[in-house]
Amino acid sequence: MSLTADDVNKIAYLARLGIDTQDTESYAKDLSGMLDLVAQMSTVDTDNVVPMAHPLGQVQRLRPDQVSEENQREAFHAIAPQVEAGLFLVPKVIE
Amino acid sequence: MHTKTIAQLAKGLQAGDYSSVELTQSYLERIKQHQNLNSFISITEEQALTTAKQADQALAQGNAPLLTGVSIAHKDIFCTQGVKTSCGSKMLDNFIAPYNATVVEKFNAAGVVTLGKLNMDEFAMGSSNETSFYGSVLNPWATDTVPGGSSGGSAAAVAAHLAPGATGTDTGGSIRQPAALCGITGLKPTYGRVSRYGMIAYASSLDQGGPMTQTAEDAALMLQIMAGFDPKDSTSVEREVPDYSSDLNNSLAGLKIGLPKEFFDAALNSEMAATIEAAINEYKKMGAEIIEVSMPNLKLAIPAYYVIAPAECSANLSRMDGVHFGHRCTNPADLNDLYIRSRGEGFGTEVKRRILVGTYALSEGYYDAYYIKAQKIRRLISDDFNKALTEVDVIMGPVTPTPAFGLGEKISDPIEMYLADIYTIAINLAGLPAMSIPAGFIDNKPVGLQIIGNYFAEAKLLNVAHQYQQVTDWHQQTPKGFE
């Protein structure tokens, strides 16, 4: 499996991940290498195997629908890049 | 004082031989003296001394918990309230955690002093500690070699006696591999045994925190505090925590040790094989029986891991978006530009590689071929181990294919680096507990023996490790310059 620099740019956009133009070729090479490594998986027949998500087969625990967390807005705003009037600030989204 | 184990220090503190403040000061001094190792990202001197004073008061009143006043350090992946928690990344260089990880909370409640936060591979992705934003950590045994990763700072600090114990995390070998390369004891518990709450997530179905110490006895003491059900961790296992120290002295006569033939094939170099065989001979002398077992799907562990871990990391790290916390680029043109540049500037090369592979594997049309396929292979690997563990009590083998490799030797070839985890990764996929203990040296570089057990058999592993440490002194060796 071989990825091109164009593929890398597409995947990087899906991940919203900035990549320097001069590095795309080397990412394409490394990612192709990783996919070659991963391709060994296809040597095994897994048609009747159940996928394993939790080693102990545990399913998601449910809890009563009750408020358990306190509001910590100030603590969380204290570490945010930009806040104003009690809100997280980002560039304008809607014109 | 600094070469003492946690068990010895706890006794000394309880007996009043020295105070927690004295002990803490002596470690803080050593940490500053050996800053060239680069094992610490943050030193929390002021808080450490405040906690030590409180510990001394508690000790004076009597009835203080066993480890009161002992000092340890945390891998910088565990959130510590009011203290920078960087996860080895520029992305979180400005992140002051607003809460404590459950593990940190538990050590605090037990009166344990935190000396600081330890260096690590960025977001725990690496096997050499060279991907850290804060630079490489040096291996105290040979400072031109790597300490292993991702818990490289933890392993180097314990090996150099800058702390008697440290926390680490293990997703594909990140406790056991650095423990092996630095000549210390490391334990990765059963998946779900130690809370992941506040432990910054890399691959959530594999991540597990555990202790890194000089001895198995100390690992038992630390695990006793760390283990237990946590309602704040959705994959935490609700199961009673046994006394991990009570079985340490059990006899190993009749112990059945499985040796997977796939662990001892041509890939393992002859010196490593000889060292591991010598360790297994010690077990034979203690009355253990050796049985060959087989793991036919072991060779698929690295391929399956490099789908599952990147897929989960690409999802987990999507929260690092420059909006709520962490690094934000300057003057973003719009929201997309903010995401793309903040993440592009905040993450290093290895993290980007894994996010990209994970994003690709989870993208439309590829999910079944990659992620589901890998989850199926994961079950095959797990079945191999489960089958072997019906025939034997523990499985043994090497932790790494070679002793510590040189700084810069593998960093330019990621695939080569991934293959260094061949003996550890399968255990995370199966979710089993495993240890690395010092078992000898090759060219003055430590070698680790891996001991793998059944689910929740941590007490058995600790017993098996402790008995070996009663008849050998590999774990008591100290690197030159750190005596």
Side-chain angles (χ1 to χ4, degrees):
Chain A
M1 185 81 201
S2 174
L3 293 181
T4 63
D6 268 358
D7 294 330
V8 170
N9 286 329
K10 262 182 233 156
I11 302 164
Y13 181 73
L14 287 176
R16 300 295 185 271
L17 185 63
I19 291 202
D20 289 339
T21 322
Q22 75 258 25
D23 295 338
T24 19
E25 287 295 341
S26 82
Y27 278 111
K29 182 178 153 280
D30 292 345
L31 263 53
S32 300
M34 288 174 82
L35 293 175
D36 285 342
L37 181 74
V38 159
Q40 291 173 39
M41 293 197 307
S42 60
T43 58
V44 190
D45 175 13
T46 51
D47 281 354
N48 297 314
V49 181
V50 182
M52 175 170 149
H54 189 294
L56 302 158
Q58 191 166 296
V59 292
Q60 205 64 32
R61 215 174 37 244
L62 299 177
R63 62 166 177 80
D65 187 15
Q66 285 162 357
V67 177
S68 59
E69 290 292 315
E70 291 165 31
N71 186 2
Q72 298 188 56
R73 175 189 273 190
E74 279 170 29
F76 294 148
H77 275 176
I79 52 167
Q82 223 182 339
V83 288
E84 200 176 289
L87 302 166
F88 291 98
L89 212 60
V90 294
K92 198 166 18 167
V93 179
I94 302 162
E95 290 299 324
Chain B
M1 192 147 57
H2 61 267
T3 55
K4 286 191 162 56
T5 64
I6 290 176
Q8 291 165 339
L9 290 171
K11 255 188 213 148
L13 286 162
Q14 299 273 355
D17 296 345
Y18 34 81
S19 70
S20 176
V21 169
E22 283 169 328
L23 181 69
T24 303
Q25 270 166 342
S26 116
Y27 277 117
L28 288 168
E29 246 162 66
R30 278 186 70 79
I31 292 167
K32 288 179 201 162
Q33 197 186 333
H34 294 290
Q35 277 194 9
N36 64 314
L37 289 180
N38 201 25
S39 56
F40 278 78
I41 290 174
S42 305
I43 304 170
T44 51
E45 178 159 4
E46 209 174 300
Q47 282 164 307
L49 290 170
T50 307
T51 324
K53 270 180 212 148
Q54 290 163 355
D56 283 333
Q57 286 164 7
L59 285 162
Q61 284 162 8
N63 298 326
L66 188 63
L67 298 194
T68 303
V70 172
S71 40
I72 62 161
H74 292 296
K75 184 177 182 179
D76 210 18
I77 198 168
F78 288 100
C79 285
T80 40
Q81 192 168 11
V83 174
K84 177 164 99 171
T85 302
S86 73
C87 222
S89 181
K90 179 183 177 185
M91 181 58 91
L92 295 181
D93 183 48
N94 62 2
F95 178 65
I96 309 294
Y99 65 97
N100 279 327
T102 295
V103 162
V104 171
E105 200 67 38
K106 284 180 168 224
F107 277 112
N108 290 350
V112 174
V113 176
T114 301
L115 296 163
K117 305 292 294 293
L118 295 158
N119 204 341
M120 57 181 284
D121 277 300
E122 184 178 8
F123 286 106
M125 299 177 202
S127 309
S128 67
N129 218 114
E130 292 168 294
T131 73
S132 169
F133 173 62
Y134 302 92
S136 304
V137 173
L138 310 185
N139 186 324
W141 285 98
T143 50
D144 57 347
T145 65
V146 303
S150 66
S151 310
S154 306
V158 173
H161 297 298
L162 310 186
T167 52
T169 61
D170 193 316
T171 305
S174 285
I175 287 176
R176 290 160 288 154
Q177 187 252 17
L181 301 192
C182 289
I184 66 161
T185 301
L187 167 63
K188 180 203 99 70
T190 308
Y191 180 78
R193 179 79 288 190
V194 170
S195 170
R196 294 187 300 109
Y197 179 75
M199 190 179 104
I200 296 171
Y202 159 22
S204 302
S205 77
L206 305 166
D207 295 343
Q208 183 61 202
M212 299 175 77
T213 53
Q214 293 173 57
T215 64
E217 184 187 21
D218 284 359
L221 293 172
M222 278 184 70
L223 183 63
Q224 200 70 50
I225 293 174
M226 297 171 82
F229 173 67
D230 182 6
K232 290 175 176 166
D233 169 359
S234 67
T235 57
S236 175
V237 175
E238 204 161 357
R239 189 179 165 116
E240 206 179 322
V241 177
D243 180 350
Y244 290 117
S245 300
S246 64
D247 290 348
L248 289 177
N249 293 313
N250 289 359
S251 159
L252 298 188
L255 179 81
K256 287 183 183 158
I257 299 174
L259 301 184
K261 60 179 183 200
E262 293 80 1
F263 272 22
F264 296 90
D265 63 9
L268 186 65
N269 87 43
S270 58
E271 284 175 301
M272 286 294 290
T275 311
I276 299 301
E277 273 160 32
I280 286 161
N281 272 331
E282 285 296 334
Y283 280 103
K284 278 191 205 163
K285 285 189 217 160
M286 289 187 268
E289 186 190 337
I290 309 299
I291 297 165
E292 188 185 270
V293 293
S294 178
M295 313 261 156
N297 295 295
L298 197 71
K299 59 181 183 298
L300 296 170
I302 289 185
Y305 178 87
Y306 279 99
V307 172
I308 294 171
E312 294 183 10
C313 105
S314 72
N316 275 326
L317 297 195
S318 63
R319 80 186 71 174
M320 313 285 166
D321 59 4
V323 172
H324 297 99
F325 56 87
H327 176 75
R328 176 183 283 199
C329 65
T330 51
N331 301 319
D334 54 32
L335 192 57
N336 245 342
D337 184 46
L338 184 152
Y339 293 147
I340 290 169
R341 279 203 290 130
S342 299
R343 288 162 61 76
E345 293 165 7
F347 293 134
T349 307
E350 182 57 30
V351 173
K352 285 183 182 172
R353 266 186 214 119
R354 297 196 195 189
I355 291 177
L356 290 170
V357 166
T359 303
Y360 179 73
L362 294 178
S363 62
E364 198 184 355
Y366 293 106
Y367 181 78
D368 283 349
Y370 287 109
Y371 195 68
I372 295 297
K373 180 81 182 179
Q375 296 277 53
K376 289 180 169 187
I377 293 202
R378 184 174 182 182
R379 182 169 306 279
L380 295 178
I381 292 165
S382 177
D383 288 348
D384 281 355
F385 277 97
N386 292 337
K387 182 171 167 284
L389 286 166
T390 59
E391 297 160 25
V392 298
D393 300 309
V394 293
I395 294 168
M396 287 189 190
V399 182
T400 58
T402 62
F405 47 91
L407 283 163
E409 195 180 313
K410 294 189 182 180
I411 194 69
S412 56
D413 185 350
I415 307 291
E416 178 78 15
M417 185 80 86
Y418 300 163
L419 296 176
D421 295 334
I422 178 79
Y423 302 113
T424 50
I425 269 181
I427 288 85
N428 297 77
L429 292 171
L432 293 164
M435 288 186 80
S436 172
I437 57 170
F441 290 87
I442 295 174
D443 298 334
N444 204 34
K445 290 173 194 157
V447 172
L449 170 74
Q450 188 167 209
I451 314 169
I452 304 154
N454 220 328
Y455 297 109
F456 301 102
E458 285 83 1
K460 170 62 98 185
L461 291 184
L462 290 160
N463 165 225
V464 171
H466 180 70
Q467 288 305 304
Y468 181 78
Q469 294 181 341
Q470 299 309 293
V471 296
T472 58
D473 64 359
W474 305 118
H475 62 290
Q476 289 167 345
Q477 308 300 315
T478 300
K480 263 206 189 82
F482 299 96
E483 294 89 349

